[in-house]
Amino acid sequence: MSITLLFSVLLCAAPLRPALGAPAVDVSSRVESLLGKMTLEEKFGQLQQLDGDAGGDARPEHFELAKKGLLGSTLNVRGAKRVNELQRAAVEHSRLGIPILFAFDVIHGYRTVFPVPLAEAASWDASAVERAAAVAAAEAYAAGVRWTFAPMVDVARDPRWGRIVEGSGEDPFLGAVMARARVRGFQGPRLGDPGRVAACAKHWAAYGAAVAGRDYNTVDVSERTLREVYFPPFRASAEEGVASFMSAFNALNGIPASADRWILTDVLRGEWGFDGLVVSDYTSVQELIAHGFARDGAEAARLALSAGVDMEMVSRLYNEHGPGLMESGGLSQQALDEAVRRVLRLKFRLGLFERPYADEQAEAGVLLSTEHAAAARDMAVRSMVLLKNDGSLLPLGDDRRTIAVVGPLADDRAAPMGSWTGDGRVEDVVTILEGIRARAGARRVLHAQGCGVSDPAAGGIDEAVAAARQADVVIAVVGEDAAMSGEAASRSTLDLPGRQLDLLKALHATGKPLAVVLLNGRPLILNWLDENVPALLEAWFPGGQAGTAVADVLFGDANPGGRLPVTFPRALGQVPIYYAHKNTGRPPSENKYSSKYLDVPVTPLYPFGYGLSYTRFRLAELRLSARSIRPDGRLRVSVDVENTGPRPGDEVVQLYIRDATASAVRPVRELRGWERLSLAPGERRRVEFELTPEHLGALDGALRFGVEPGEFQVFVGSSSVGGLESSFEVVAY
Ligand code: NOJ
């Protein structure tokens, strides 16, 4: 296609869903009337969020501030009784009785711990993800929490970054769908519905693109990449009516995100029309000084507030310097009032003025209920990805009478919960060993730890080998411990830590059939396992029901159907490696002077979208509803899916496109749809997708990248590699 033929259809942004819990007019008049009564001090007080004790207690100072109407919000204070005590100080003893907004990091469960978000994304099941967020919301609400700092919607393409575990992986399209599901799950149909909480899209923006995968590090990304890769899940959250955004720690293209007017105001409010609340990340206003962006506290407060950060988390620069800045003219009345309005608006929308208190009697009945545990187990099963299975071992047959369950994570209670545990307790966790024992019935189950996760010494490997020798099958549970992923948990290698590979090699040398279960929060380098072990199950950090869910899968009561939401490399040197890369002028080939490595193939070990099953699927008869469409047209893509194997199972049919020639280079493939479906043996079904102009142009409309005439390729398959192919033309009028 020649560029002169370029024809673009401006992408119309989907309208923002109003996040209303009460009629807009009513809320705005109540906000204005309250604002009119507030002193300068009370206004700044509403912009302050302070940290409670990690265990959930408020601090004595909170009560003092609350009585003076100087505490807008807390984080970590939780539990119906504790919340009510502090709330009473604000509602019954302060001059204006403005309730406190209680926040907490409810990331993947509150008391019932669900799989980590990366794992949930691996389910490719948006309804299950929505349900998990709804359960978390119900429990958090019961404990008095009204605002969660989730979902984390950062696209992450560098597995060294520990926080890759908190998001939905490498892809903006998958990330956007999961972001919407989580916002819906947390907030419900209307903000302020009982049993739901306000959500927070974080970390705005591009926190996941930290240089070298080192947490909090600088980010330098072109505006095109921001709009095409990093913004879409945030925009989707805003469209879904998310109540708040969190400004990130990192500097973005030279400007710290917590003082970046372009992202906080021009894009978020100007382009997207977001009218919710922006909270800073933990002390990120204060950190403007260390960034070398603000000279002192007063300047940091001025820069953050005028850029668009409404509420300051933990540092207190707004309160310390705000009144002085107002006096000197450093801050305008309008900027202050606007920030206060956003805080009050959220409190009204949440119904906090009507229902400031938690129901202390109801709390215990909601937390960790049987239904919640069942939902967590189901989510964990859905999120597991079978990376390898030669069929000789899994699912475990009845003939395996003695099972050795070994490895440092086999009986570990902390790792399954991952790094954000909400209010989860280790004693609630079913370990993998316990889950297998419970399911094993009359079989014998032996256990040995073998080694620690990161021990330098070989320790108990001999003991594990001895257990293996007595067994018919060995299940080794290895990976990362809980502290190895999440915030401030970047790693410089992606290898199995410590002596775990030595343990696996020693077990393998016994000649006993060996299945490996991985617990981890990021892609690891698994080359030796892929070459030597007959069965490999990626269980991630599966949450409190780890053991029951792993047993469901190992014994074949459930058939794994999860797919990787992130590429698994062969070598750390390939990072960042992701499926939606661009082709370059010299795509990898036999030719030396093509884009590749001397010492490792250019391909990943396991690609994005990959995952096996205990059954087999066949895709056939890919059909397009037309050979050509107009730029504003739609196209249906359909395919037959058949379960050709012996068991019921789930296939995730994935649709990718490639804009073959465009006025700006497009990725070799872009995910544009999928369906996870369950099929009985021999069952065949037709799956249909619709491609719309929004799918064919860039995902974020602001660069005005429309649908251009020319060829589009279509790929439908079981991962981002291979599959059936076809193509169509977009033709100008
Ligand atoms: C810092 C983290 O970056 C953020 O994700 C979290 O919500 C806050 N701490 C509050 O705990």
Side-chain angles (χ1 to χ4, degrees), residues 73 143 286 431 510 524 578 646 686 707:
S73 174
Q286 169 96 47
T431 69
T510 64
L524 296 174
Y578 45 90
R686 198 139 185 93
V707 182

Side-chain angles (χ1 to χ4, degrees), residues 208-416:
V211 167
R214 180 157 58 80
D215 206 2
Y216 315 119
N217 206 5
T218 306
V219 173
D220 271 284
V221 188
S222 71
E223 183 177 348
R224 178 175 304 284
T225 302
L226 284 175
R227 292 192 181 274
E228 292 180 5
V229 177
Y230 292 95
F231 283 4
F234 285 96
R235 189 185 175 98
S237 305
E239 286 173 2
E240 206 59 46
V242 75
S244 64
F245 269 56
M246 184 183 292
S247 69
F249 285 127
N250 56 283
L252 173 59
N253 300 334
I255 314 291
S258 291
D260 186 345
R261 202 180 156 77
W262 180 65
I263 55 161
L264 294 168
T265 297
D266 299 349
V267 174
L268 182 59
R269 309 225 180 250
E271 289 179 22
W272 299 356
F274 178 72
D275 77 342
L277 176 70
V278 173
V279 62
S280 79
D281 202 343
Y282 204 99
T283 64
S284 70
V285 175
Q286 169 96 47
E287 291 166 25
L288 297 175
I289 301 170
H291 272 292
F293 194 70
R295 221 179 6 244
D296 53 25
E299 194 174 33
R302 181 177 63 76
L303 289 168
L305 188 58
S306 27
V309 174
D310 304 313
M311 182 179 270
E312 183 180 2
M313 189 193 290
V314 176
S315 53
R316 304 174 186 222
L317 303 183
Y318 285 12
N319 271 273
E320 281 168 16
H321 303 285
L325 285 166
M326 298 293 294
E327 215 167 284
S328 65
L331 267 180
S332 70
Q333 187 67 45
Q334 198 202 342
L336 170 64
D337 284 353
E338 199 43 41
V340 178
R341 262 186 206 107
R342 291 177 188 139
V343 174
L344 297 179
R345 200 186 289 148
L346 179 55
K347 291 185 174 184
F348 279 116
R349 285 175 175 175
L350 280 171
L352 274 188
F353 288 83
E354 288 72 30
R355 290 185 313 275
Y357 299 112
D359 181 343
E360 293 178 27
Q361 265 64 55
E363 181 180 17
V366 178
L367 303 188
L368 213 62
S369 70
T370 336
E371 303 86 75
H372 294 177
R377 177 176 180 171
D378 179 61
M379 186 78 246
V381 165
R382 288 176 169 273
S383 68
M384 287 180 203
V385 183
L386 188 62
L387 295 174
K388 184 176 176 197
N389 191 21
D390 72 1
S392 64
L393 186 49
L394 291 187
L396 291 171
D398 288 338
D399 51 331
R400 313 282 183 186
R401 301 312 299 168
T402 303
I403 306 172
V405 182
V406 301
L409 297 173
D411 202 27
D412 186 292
R413 267 174 221 292

Side-chain angles (χ1 to χ4, degrees), residues 49 51 75-76 104-105 107 148-150 152 154 163 166 200 202-203 207 215-216 246-249 280-283 313-314 420 487:
Q49 181 178 66
D51 195 351
L75 70 152
N76 289 348
F104 187 46
D105 287 284
I107 310 294
T148 177
F149 299 132
M152 187 195 95
D154 293 308
R163 303 199 77 172
E166 292 178 49
C200 182
K202 72 186 189 186
H203 305 81
Y207 179 45
D215 206 2
Y216 315 119
M246 184 183 292
S247 69
F249 285 127
S280 79
D281 202 343
Y282 204 99
T283 64
M313 189 193 290
V314 176
W420 284 115
E487 189 179 346

Side-chain angles (χ1 to χ4, degrees), residues 78-80 104 106 108-114 132-146 186 194-197 358-359 362-376 421-424 428:
R78 60 190 188 277
F104 187 46
V106 184
H108 51 106
Y110 179 78
R111 178 69 193 267
T112 303
V113 180
F114 280 76
V135 168
E139 293 195 350
Y141 184 92
V145 173
R146 296 289 179 270
F186 286 128
R196 305 286 185 145
V197 296
D359 181 343
E363 181 180 17
V366 178
L367 303 188
L368 213 62
S369 70
T370 336
E371 303 86 75
H372 294 177
T421 53
D423 208 37
D428 301 337

Side-chain angles (χ1 to χ4, degrees), residues 392-694:
S392 64
L393 186 49
L394 291 187
L396 291 171
D398 288 338
D399 51 331
R400 313 282 183 186
R401 301 312 299 168
T402 303
I403 306 172
V405 182
V406 301
L409 297 173
D411 202 27
D412 186 292
R413 267 174 221 292
M417 295 206 289
S419 60
W420 284 115
T421 53
D423 208 37
R425 314 279 158 91
V426 278
E427 62 266 26
D428 301 337
V429 173
V430 183
T431 69
I432 314 283
L433 176 64
E434 288 166 346
I436 292 176
R437 277 216 167 106
R439 175 62 178 76
R443 298 172 174 95
R444 247 177 98 211
V445 177
L446 310 173
H447 169 62
Q449 193 187 325
C451 60
V453 171
S454 37
D455 284 355
I461 290 184
D462 291 349
E463 199 194 342
V465 165
R469 288 219 167 90
Q470 297 172 54
D472 302 317
V473 60
V474 183
I475 313 283
V477 189
V478 295
E480 299 181 297
D481 65 33
M484 278 178 184
S485 67
E487 189 179 346
S490 294
R491 292 183 60 204
S492 70
T493 86
L494 302 176
D495 296 334
L496 272 176
R499 304 297 298 266
Q500 295 183 94
L501 195 54
D502 294 337
L503 170 67
L504 295 179
K505 287 180 177 170
L507 295 169
H508 180 251
T510 64
K512 295 288 180 168
L514 173 63
V516 174
V517 176
L518 291 162
L519 302 193
N520 50 300
R522 54 160 62 78
L524 296 174
I525 305 287
L526 302 171
N527 301 325
W528 185 88
L529 284 81
D530 184 67
E531 279 158 28
N532 294 287
V533 164
L536 190 52
L537 179 69
E538 177 55 86
W540 315 102
F541 294 126
Q545 290 296 315
T548 38
V550 165
D552 286 342
V553 170
L554 294 180
F555 287 90
D557 303 332
N559 190 346
R563 300 301 166 89
L564 295 180
V566 61
T567 302
F568 276 42
R570 295 175 192 274
L572 178 65
Q574 293 178 310
V575 166
I577 178 170
Y578 45 90
Y579 85 92
H581 63 84
K582 298 186 174 148
N583 214 21
T584 81
R586 295 184 173 198
S589 71
E590 294 299 302
N591 189 328
K592 171 172 170 59
Y593 296 96
S594 66
S595 183
K596 58 186 180 185
Y597 298 100
L598 289 176
D599 49 1
V600 67
V602 80
T603 53
L605 180 62
Y606 301 123
F608 175 85
Y610 169 83
L612 304 171
S613 165
Y614 295 150
T615 186
R616 291 181 302 279
F617 297 96
R618 197 169 67 93
L619 300 182
E621 295 192 40
L622 173 63
R623 266 185 244 132
L624 273 49
S625 61
R627 281 277 147 238
S628 67
I629 59 167
R630 300 291 187 191
D632 57 353
R634 289 161 179 262
L635 184 95
R636 285 188 310 283
V637 177
S638 60
V639 71
D640 268 358
V641 194
E642 187 181 356
N643 180 347
T644 57
R647 296 170 166 264
D650 286 9
E651 168 69 309
V652 181
V653 186
Q654 301 160 41
L655 167 71
Y656 297 85
I657 59 157
R658 179 178 182 191
D659 186 347
T661 322
S663 56
V665 175
R666 306 300 303 159
V668 294
R669 281 190 183 204
E670 296 177 85
L671 181 70
R672 285 297 178 264
W674 77 83
E675 190 166 326
R676 177 170 177 158
L677 69 169
S678 306
L679 294 176
E683 191 180 348
R684 187 179 172 118
R685 230 185 287 161
R686 198 139 185 93
V687 171
E688 189 171 288
F689 301 96
E690 188 179 51
L691 285 172
T692 67
E694 219 175 316

Side-chain angles (χ1 to χ4, degrees), residues 23-93:
V25 186
D26 188 33
V27 165
S28 99
S29 65
R30 291 175 79 183
V31 166
E32 293 311 317
S33 126
L34 191 50
L35 192 66
K37 297 184 192 131
M38 293 170 78
T39 63
L40 191 64
E41 220 194 355
E42 285 166 342
K43 287 182 182 176
F44 278 108
Q46 284 303 309
L47 306 187
Q48 182 71 62
Q49 181 178 66
L50 290 179
D51 195 351
D53 172 272
D57 279 325
R59 303 184 197 279
E61 183 200 14
H62 296 164
F63 289 89
E64 297 312 312
L65 291 170
K67 284 184 201 154
K68 295 186 197 147
L70 299 181
L71 184 57
S73 174
T74 62
L75 70 152
N76 289 348
V77 178
R78 60 190 188 277
K81 189 160 173 295
R82 286 184 286 204
V83 157
N84 287 348
E85 270 165 19
L86 182 55
Q87 190 68 299
R88 231 170 269 125
V91 171
E92 291 169 26
H93 299 285

